[in-house]
Amino acid sequence: MSINTKDLNAASHMLAHCERIERYLERCDRSLEEFMNDELVQDGVTMQLLAMGELPTVKRFFAGIVENADG
């Protein structure tokens, strides 16, 4: 099985976003209570999730899921 360049690039970007999320969570010691009380960390995590959702490969993937669900 071969991975095309676009998918590899998207995976690389997703990994970078996940690593940033991990760093945000480390700032609040991975505590849900601290996370819930820190709007800046919440905003940072949310922005990374939004950025991942905007990757073209991810958009195509989820568009395919929606199309199949409508069928």
Side-chain angles (χ1 to χ4, degrees), residues 25-42:
L25 297 177
E26 287 170 358
R27 289 178 59 112
C28 59
D29 296 324
R30 298 179 184 271
S31 162
L32 178 59
E33 183 177 350
E34 287 187 42
F35 175 80
M36 296 303 291
N37 290 321
D38 191 334
E39 290 178 352
L40 292 177
V41 172
Q42 292 173 28

Side-chain angles (χ1 to χ4, degrees), residues 40-69:
L40 292 177
V41 172
Q42 292 173 28
D43 290 348
V45 169
T46 300
M47 289 305 298
Q48 296 308 308
L49 294 172
L50 288 170
M52 279 195 282
E54 289 299 314
L55 292 169
T57 301
V58 175
K59 283 181 149 181
R60 284 192 304 275
F61 174 77
F62 284 108
I65 290 175
V66 171
E67 287 174 10
N68 290 335

